[in-house]
Amino acid sequence: MYCPFCRHPDSRVIDSRVAEDGTAIRRRRSCPECGRRFTTQESVILMVAKRSGVTEPFTRDKIIRGVQRACQGRPVDEDQLAMLAQRVEETIRARGLAEVPSHEVGLSILGPLRDLDEVAYLRFASVYRGFESLDDFEKAITELRGRRLADAGGTDDGVQRAHDG
């Protein structure tokens, strides 16, 4: 590591700390030549392979931008979107691959988005999965209702009470 002040080709690590939710390491360094200290940050670059064959670095911002469109007009705030993007990145990094297909990134978005907002999930899924008919929407809605019932303990009481009055 070159010293940014005197360009000496060596430096000594004084301290190392985990940063950015465990995806990077910050190192405090000292130059043996000029004695000045500086900080470096090391991170593993996760690459995304697009369908076109092009690869690009994974960024949470791109996840947020893609999901923002689906959340437009919904009660979802910036912090929730940031948490969703973090959850997606953690899921992808947990696979331990240096390069992940863009299709898998999309699949990793679906679960957290469904938990965040069902309408936004349907919007995103309709584009991502290429819904072509009302039947595709009906199937997705049926899956959401089945999931909601399973999460509620398998009873339909809450849904009925909402309709009854």
Side-chain angles (χ1 to χ4, degrees), residues 40 55 70 77 96 106 122:
T40 59
T55 58
D77 62 36
L122 283 173

Side-chain angles (χ1 to χ4, degrees), residues 56-74:
E56 63 183 40
F58 175 89
T59 62
R60 288 185 191 178
D61 289 341
K62 193 159 185 182
I63 300 294
I64 291 170
R65 282 194 310 272
V67 174
Q68 271 177 331
R69 285 185 226 121
C71 293
Q72 198 166 5
R74 301 297 305 155

Side-chain angles (χ1 to χ4, degrees), residues 144-157:
L144 283 172
R145 285 188 175 138
R147 183 178 174 84
R148 190 185 296 163
L149 285 173
D151 290 347
T155 64
D156 204 13
D157 294 347

Side-chain angles (χ1 to χ4, degrees), residues 71-153:
C71 293
Q72 198 166 5
R74 301 297 305 155
V76 176
D77 62 36
E78 298 281 329
D79 289 340
Q80 290 172 306
L81 290 177
M83 293 298 293
L84 180 138
Q86 178 180 337
R87 198 168 148 196
V88 168
E89 182 176 0
E90 288 170 355
T91 299
I92 292 169
R93 286 190 184 275
R95 294 187 180 134
L97 302 172
E99 186 173 294
V100 63
S102 61
H103 179 72
E104 287 191 31
V105 175
L107 290 175
S108 297
I109 292 170
L110 289 172
L113 185 56
R114 181 183 53 231
D115 296 341
L116 179 62
D117 188 280
E118 291 175 340
V119 172
Y121 164 79
L122 283 173
R123 290 175 177 170
F124 187 86
S126 70
V127 173
Y128 183 73
R129 291 187 173 160
F131 288 7
E132 294 181 6
S133 69
L134 286 177
D135 291 338
D136 294 334
F137 279 96
E138 287 175 353
K139 182 179 176 190
I141 290 168
T142 300
E143 289 171 4
L144 283 172
R145 285 188 175 138
R147 183 178 174 84
R148 190 185 296 163
L149 285 173
D151 290 347

Side-chain angles (χ1 to χ4, degrees), residues 28-40:
R28 192 74 181 140
R29 296 176 176 269
S30 174
C31 176
E33 187 68 25
C34 69
R36 296 184 74 178
R37 293 182 176 192
F38 57 97
T39 302
T40 59

